[in-house]
Amino acid sequence: MNINNNATNVKKELLVRIARLQLAGELDSRKINRIPTEMRPSGEPPLGCCTYHDRELLRMRLLARMGISVENYNDLNDLDDYAREALDRKSPTWPMITVLYEACNGCVKQNFMVTNACQGCFARPCMTNCPKGAIHIVHHAHIDAEKCVHCGLCVDNCPYHAIIRITVPCEAACPVGAISKGEDGHEVIDFHKCIYCGKCMQECPFGAMMDKSQLVDVIKHIMDGRKVSVMYAPSIASQFKASAGQLERALGQLGFTSLYEVARGADICADKEAKEFTGRIKRGDKLMTTSCCSAYVRAVHIHVPDLDSCVSETRSPMHYTAEIAKKDDPDCVTVFVGPCLAKRREGFDDEFVDYVITAEELSAFFEAKGIDVSKMEPVEKTDLPSASGRNFARTGGVAEAVRCRLENPEILKLDVINGLDKAGMKKLKFYGELNAGRAEPNESTGNLVEVMSCEGGCVAGPCVVQKLNLAAIQLDKYVGEAEKKKS
């Protein structure tokens, strides 16, 4: 779903309002209770059944934006009570995703519907191609729901596009089947299956799937005078129309005391993966996969265990950058900024990462402080990471960074899995079968496989603020800065 929609707009407005109150020292005051009424005043047409229901949903959405699970919501508590809970917590709470059941539409199960565009044509391709005889035609096509197996051949064969597939967006987007309907018809996430790719959040048109923000925690540490080190991913540099120097100036204006490009960690990651790949091929391994995408790594561990031994043992760029930050100042609070929900999950298990915030949250923080990144006086940067390190943010960038570091690049045969949708998972399982000796290689089989959970790479993550085509242009400029400096 396009990032320009009402759900993302409301999410940002809530984040901005929370940040403004917190920066003013008023988050735990009665002012937070007014936000739902201010956003949905009387007299305006409601988005749902009524204005009062809209306001109640906003109250619950505010919980997630403060890092609290809406499953714990009690309408007898005021929002300032929850604000104090958020300000008092010592660390983020589990799980990272919370489901707003009151907003969930309880969509009907996937089915197919014949529209009035049907012409009842003589060829009858929908009927003749149906493998179960589920379609009969009387003036126009009719589908027998009892016989239909949801193969979609009727949709594919109708020359008028008169048959449509009605999906459950979050279920259809989940590549690993981690979302299903509960007994009440609303969606439930199985966190034992979930890989935290964030696709359900991207695709739910009701904004019912929500990540729990850590922005309140980060602002609290900054306002308390702690040394807070920010580590921004290459994909974050693609989200703002500014140079890296301007972005770093703006981050300093937010109160971060030390700034690190995660592209530095990407250089370390690429160096290690190139060395590891060479060693694996020499010892006779069939293949190695990259390891920087934590959603993919979790997908392998849970859903494709046959491929587990092929995942690079190298840690992620986030890890190596956080390690540098902690080495520079062991007492600092480390904050990774990326477009990714899976990185927040990885951060829970990384001893060097304290918090993970998203591009959406950083953008809201800038707005709350009145900072226009594009108008900042740039910081003069001298010690730049490599262009290939900065290019980790797009599909193919990781593999290219490894390739250019190989002493004998002729040993490499590259394959790229660009996005973990259903087709991506199928390809992943093929490589698992290959590693287990149950499948044979073909002409496109690689011995180095780059896997990106998001199609297009991290620049297309679930928590971005920039459309992919514009982010790609900005990333080119960011990478070009490093190339120009090198030349």
Side-chain angles (χ1 to χ4, degrees):
M1 188 163 60
N2 193 309
I3 62 171
N4 183 23
N5 63 72
N6 187 61
T8 56
N9 293 340
V10 168
K11 180 179 182 179
K12 182 174 182 180
E13 183 175 353
L14 292 173
L15 285 167
V16 171
R17 285 173 174 268
I18 288 170
R20 282 177 178 160
L21 285 176
Q22 187 175 3
L23 291 167
E26 298 176 323
L27 182 61
D28 56 351
S29 72
R30 303 295 294 177
K31 289 185 178 181
I32 193 173
N33 296 313
R34 303 172 194 164
I35 290 178
T37 303
E38 291 170 354
M39 290 179 64
R40 292 291 179 271
S42 300
E44 288 194 2
L47 292 174
C49 62
C50 67
T51 299
Y52 302 104
H53 186 248
D54 285 356
R55 291 174 182 172
E56 189 66 9
L57 291 180
L58 286 171
R59 280 172 53 86
M60 288 184 271
R61 293 187 193 280
L62 278 163
L63 264 65
R65 303 285 70 85
M66 291 189 289
I68 299 170
S69 295
V70 295
E71 288 84 355
N72 298 331
Y73 177 70
N74 184 336
D75 59 6
L76 296 178
N77 293 339
D78 290 327
L79 287 171
D80 55 305
D81 295 325
Y82 289 111
R84 280 186 283 276
E85 178 184 330
L87 291 169
D88 289 343
R89 68 171 169 254
K90 302 301 181 184
S91 59
T93 58
W94 185 260
M96 303 159 25
I97 304 176
T98 183
V99 182
L100 181 52
Y101 293 108
E102 286 77 3
C104 177
N105 192 46
C107 306
V108 297
K109 291 183 178 180
Q110 175 176 291
N111 64 85
F112 295 84
M113 183 176 75
V114 181
T115 70
N116 58 11
C118 177
Q119 304 295 303
C121 65
F122 175 71
R124 284 157 163 68
C126 59
M127 185 176 75
T128 54
N129 284 282
C130 178
K132 297 296 182 181
I135 298 177
H136 67 278
I137 296 177
V138 179
H139 304 303
H140 64 85
H142 299 268
I143 299 175
D144 185 338
E146 295 295 323
K147 294 181 180 179
C148 179
V149 292
H150 310 291
C151 65
L153 287 173
C154 56
V155 174
D156 298 337
N157 284 281
C158 177
Y160 294 103
H161 306 289
I163 304 176
I164 60 173
R165 177 187 283 106
I166 301 174
T167 64
V168 180
C170 61
E171 288 185 19
C174 180
V176 294
I179 301 177
S180 60
K181 290 187 178 298
E183 293 181 359
D184 61 356
H186 292 87
E187 302 302 319
V188 178
I189 300 175
D190 184 342
F191 290 108
H192 296 293
K193 293 182 179 179
C194 181
I195 61 173
Y196 304 99
C197 62
K199 297 182 190 296
C200 59
M201 291 194 325
Q202 281 180 304
E203 296 303 322
C204 176
F206 292 91
M209 302 291 178
M210 302 186 296
D211 60 312
K212 287 163 55 179
S213 174
Q214 297 179 12
L215 185 58
V216 166
D217 309 75
V218 172
I219 294 176
K220 179 180 68 174
H221 286 304
I222 291 173
M223 293 181 69
D224 286 346
R226 294 284 303 276
K227 294 179 180 178
V228 184
S229 297
V230 64
M231 310 167 293
Y232 66 93
S235 52
I236 293 302
S238 76
Q239 298 299 300
F240 303 94
K241 295 179 180 178
S243 67
Q246 288 177 303
L247 178 59
E248 292 196 6
R249 179 74 70 184
L251 289 167
Q253 292 289 312
L254 291 177
F256 292 108
T257 50
S258 300
L259 299 97
Y260 298 87
E261 284 194 61
V262 178
R264 290 175 63 184
D267 282 333
I268 296 171
C269 179
D271 289 343
K272 289 179 175 289
E273 285 198 345
K275 183 177 180 180
E276 183 183 353
F277 174 72
T278 300
R280 282 175 174 259
I281 296 303
K282 283 183 177 179
R283 77 185 188 197
D285 285 11
K286 294 178 181 177
L287 66 126
M288 185 186 92
T289 74
T290 55
S291 61
C292 61
C293 175
S294 45
Y296 148 68
V297 173
R298 184 172 171 85
V300 170
H301 291 337
I302 297 174
H303 300 283
V304 195
D306 285 334
L307 195 58
D308 223 0
S309 63
C310 299
V311 178
S312 170
E313 296 173 1
T314 301
R315 300 288 291 270
S316 72
M318 177 179 77
H319 170 82
Y320 293 119
T321 310
E323 188 176 27
I324 293 170
K326 288 291 189 181
K327 184 176 180 181
D328 289 347
D329 184 355
D331 296 324
C332 75
V333 176
T334 53
V335 179
F336 173 82
V337 189
C340 181
L341 189 64
K343 284 297 178 189
R344 186 166 282 167
R345 175 67 184 85
E346 182 187 340
F348 269 94
D349 298 327
D350 195 308
E351 66 273 28
F352 298 125
V353 179
D354 294 313
Y355 297 99
V356 175
I357 63 174
T358 66
E360 291 175 313
E361 291 159 358
L362 180 62
S363 177
F365 196 2
F366 282 140
E367 186 169 328
K369 288 274 284 189
I371 294 173
D372 185 339
V373 184
S374 65
K375 294 181 179 179
M376 290 287 105
E377 182 69 26
V379 172
E380 185 64 32
K381 294 178 65 64
T382 54
D383 183 22
L384 297 185
S386 72
S388 63
R390 285 183 166 185
N391 207 37
F392 259 54
R394 61 159 49 96
T395 295
V398 179
E400 176 57 25
V402 173
R403 187 201 63 78
C404 72
R405 287 165 168 80
L406 293 174
E407 293 182 6
N408 301 301
E410 65 276 4
I411 67 173
L412 181 142
K413 188 176 180 184
L414 177 64
D415 193 9
V416 174
I417 298 179
N418 183 22
L420 283 185
D421 52 10
K422 298 292 196 299
M425 286 300 298
K426 184 177 180 180
K427 193 171 183 181
L428 207 60
K429 289 174 182 177
F430 160 74
Y431 275 108
E433 294 283 310
L434 179 68
N435 186 53
R438 296 191 297 271
E440 293 296 326
N442 54 52
E443 64 279 358
S444 63
T445 302
N447 58 9
L448 177 65
V449 185
E450 179 196 292
V451 188
M452 288 285 190
S453 172
C454 300
E455 186 175 349
C458 302
V459 289
C463 302
V464 297
V465 295
Q466 191 72 274
K467 293 180 181 178
L468 178 57
N469 60 331
L470 298 177
I473 293 170
Q474 189 60 36
L475 183 64
D476 287 339
K477 294 178 182 178
Y478 177 60
V479 173
E481 286 181 20
E483 291 175 336
K484 183 178 180 181
K485 194 76 176 181
K486 184 178 179 181
S487 61

